[in-house]
Amino acid sequence: LDLIRLAPSIVEPAIAATIMLTGLATLGTFARDGAAVSRRWQTGRYFMAAGFGLIHGLGFSNFLRSLLGDSEGLALPLCAFNVGLEAGQLLIVAGVLLLGMAVGRVVPRHYWVGAVSAVVAILGGSMLVERLG
C-alpha cells in the first residue's frame, strides 16, 4: 500500500540485526540455567517482537514489490504470498519443535536452547557484516 517504504540498503541490515539480537536475547535468558525471566523483560519481548516484525515485514514488502512490479491486482497475490509464507513458517517451526523434542531427550533443554541461540546469533551477525560490507 506504500504507507511505509525504506530502501533495501536499510532494511536488509536491520533484518540481520534483529536475527542476531534475538539469538543474543534468548542466549541471555537461558544463561541462568533457564531461570524465569522478569515480568519487565517479558513485556519488553512483546515490543521487541512487534518492532522486529515490522522490520521483517518491510523486507517482505520490498521483495513482494519487486515480484509484482506495478500490477494493479494486489489482493490475490498478497494473500497467496502470505499464505505461502505462513505455511513455510509452520513447517519450519514444526521441524525445529520435533528436533528439539528429540534432542531434549538426550541433552538438557537449557543447553539445547543455548546452543541454537548461539548459532542464530552468530549467523545473524555474519549476515549483518555481509550486508554492511
Side-chain angles (χ1 to χ4, degrees):
L1 299 175
D2 237 358
L3 298 175
I4 300 173
R5 184 183 283 206
L6 291 177
S9 62
I10 295 171
V11 175
E12 293 302 318
I15 290 171
T18 64
I19 293 169
M20 181 184 73
L21 290 172
T22 300
L24 290 173
T26 305
L27 187 59
T29 300
F30 283 89
R32 296 179 309 271
D33 295 328
V37 296
S38 70
R39 187 168 198 72
R40 182 177 173 195
W41 172 240
Q42 186 66 34
T43 302
R45 290 169 77 177
Y46 292 121
F47 288 108
M48 191 169 95
F52 288 5
L54 177 62
I55 292 168
H56 285 249
L58 288 169
F60 285 124
S61 72
N62 285 339
F63 176 73
L64 188 59
R65 188 177 297 113
S66 72
L67 282 178
L68 295 178
D70 292 330
S71 90
E72 291 295 321
L74 182 66
L76 187 58
L78 182 61
C79 183
F81 179 79
N82 282 323
V83 168
L85 183 68
E86 295 302 326
Q89 287 180 345
L90 286 173
L91 286 173
I92 291 168
V93 167
V96 170
L97 181 63
L98 290 173
L99 181 62
M101 289 171 59
V103 171
R105 294 174 187 233
V106 179
V107 178
R109 183 173 186 265
H110 64 275
Y111 290 133
W112 161 247
V113 172
V116 171
S117 298
V119 169
V120 167
I122 291 167
L123 290 174
S126 172
M127 290 167 50
L128 179 60
V129 168
E130 179 182 298
R131 280 158 178 74
L132 290 174

